[in-house]
Amino acid sequence: MSVEYAETDHIVRIELNRPDRLNATDPTLIDELCRALEAAIVALPAVAVISGRGRAFCAGHDLTYEAADVPYAVDRLDVERTHDITRLIRRAPFPVVSSVHGYALGAGCEIALCSDLVIAADDAVFGFPEVSVGLSITGGISRILPHAVGLAKAKELVFLGQRFGAAQAQSWGLVNFVVPSSSLIEETDRLTKQISGLPAHALGLAKSALNVGFDGSLDTAFEIETLHALETRSAQEARDATEKFLQRR
């Protein structure tokens, strides 16, 4: 399997498993990653984590895979399946965390940046080398990246394909947490356990509202926030969480 899937204690762990290719993507890995995300949505965990086995998170598109002889319609379906990763992560009613070490280039960088949260080892290396090898960005990065760093910086990163480290990525708002590489697994577990202890329904609504607000108008944001406020105020989850909060004061 190019992607491993496991679920324990309401946490789904999805691991890219092509270590001999630095987890570079091909149609099989992309499809298996989508299937893993689809399975997670059915399972409804508190949180899902995407990581990579071996020396890298994901080194990008596998350049040894040749699509030149693939019919256009099939090739288009493969590209759309790549976009499905972003669609599924955004659709998931729970946070999806990318735990990044080593290379996160091209498709690997795209997978990380379309996640809800990114925790990176201090040795992680990010970048968009697609243009330099005659390819194009995917996964909605043409929208996600400019929103995060501004259009001018996004063009610089994509046009020149320059690599940047975890600390720089964090300073640009692309990464949430940077930790020593030796403690990435431990810190990822700590983060996911913290998330899994939060009120799940409210967390899912918060994710949905932020995504809608990101994509839409202020009036749309007001409307979704109103609906969510009315829904959560009458929920037992809110009453239980409020009681716990007041007990801690």
Side-chain angles (χ1 to χ4, degrees):
M1 299 291 290
S2 295
V3 174
E4 298 289 340
Y5 178 100
E7 181 184 1
T8 54
D9 299 325
H10 305 292
I11 298 172
V12 162
R13 292 176 173 83
I14 299 171
E15 188 173 42
L16 308 184
N17 185 31
R18 296 186 75 209
D20 56 317
R21 300 297 304 165
L22 299 180
N23 299 316
T25 63
D26 62 5
T28 298
L29 184 145
I30 293 297
D31 185 63
E32 289 184 13
L33 177 54
C34 288
R35 291 180 184 276
L37 290 167
E38 290 164 351
I41 291 172
V42 172
L44 278 180
V47 58
V49 183
I50 302 175
S51 61
R53 183 169 296 180
R55 297 185 292 116
F57 176 73
C58 173
H61 178 72
D62 191 340
L63 298 178
T64 65
Y65 172 77
E66 294 292 343
D69 296 329
V70 176
Y72 176 85
V74 175
D75 204 16
R76 182 180 177 89
L77 288 174
D78 286 342
V79 175
E80 287 293 339
R81 197 59 167 155
T82 299
H83 296 326
D84 281 344
I85 296 171
T86 301
R87 294 187 181 107
L88 288 164
I89 288 174
R90 288 171 62 84
R91 186 187 309 160
F94 48 81
V96 177
V97 177
S98 277
S99 179
V100 179
H101 74 290
Y103 290 124
L105 304 176
C109 196
E110 293 164 4
I111 292 169
L113 299 190
C114 74
S115 300
D116 299 303
L117 296 171
V118 182
I119 180 169
D122 54 10
D123 67 351
V125 178
F126 298 84
F128 298 95
E130 288 94 334
V131 169
S132 64
V133 294
L135 298 176
S136 66
I137 53 175
T138 54
I141 287 298
S142 60
R143 176 176 176 82
I144 294 170
L145 187 62
H147 269 68
V149 302
L151 183 58
K153 175 58 71 172
K155 287 180 178 179
E156 175 189 335
L157 295 176
V158 172
F159 292 176
L160 303 182
Q162 61 196 58
R163 298 180 181 183
F164 49 95
Q168 183 66 76
Q170 185 181 40
S171 73
W172 289 333
L174 300 175
V175 165
N176 299 94
F177 311 101
V178 178
V179 301
S181 59
S182 59
S183 60
L184 177 63
I185 294 175
E186 177 185 351
E187 290 299 321
T188 300
D189 287 345
R190 184 192 62 78
L191 175 62
T192 54
K193 287 176 182 176
Q194 179 182 357
I195 293 172
S196 68
L198 296 172
H201 185 58
L203 188 60
L205 290 178
K207 171 178 174 175
S208 174
L210 288 167
N211 284 337
V212 170
F214 179 84
D215 290 335
S217 66
L218 183 59
D219 284 338
T220 300
F222 286 151
E223 178 63 20
I224 197 71
E225 288 172 9
T226 298
L227 294 174
H228 288 180
L230 294 172
E231 181 176 345
T232 55
R233 285 179 185 177
S234 62
Q236 183 63 44
E237 179 186 75
R239 292 192 287 271
D240 293 342
T242 300
E243 183 178 348
K244 289 181 181 179
F245 176 78
L246 293 174
Q247 289 173 353
R248 293 198 298 268
R249 295 181 63 181

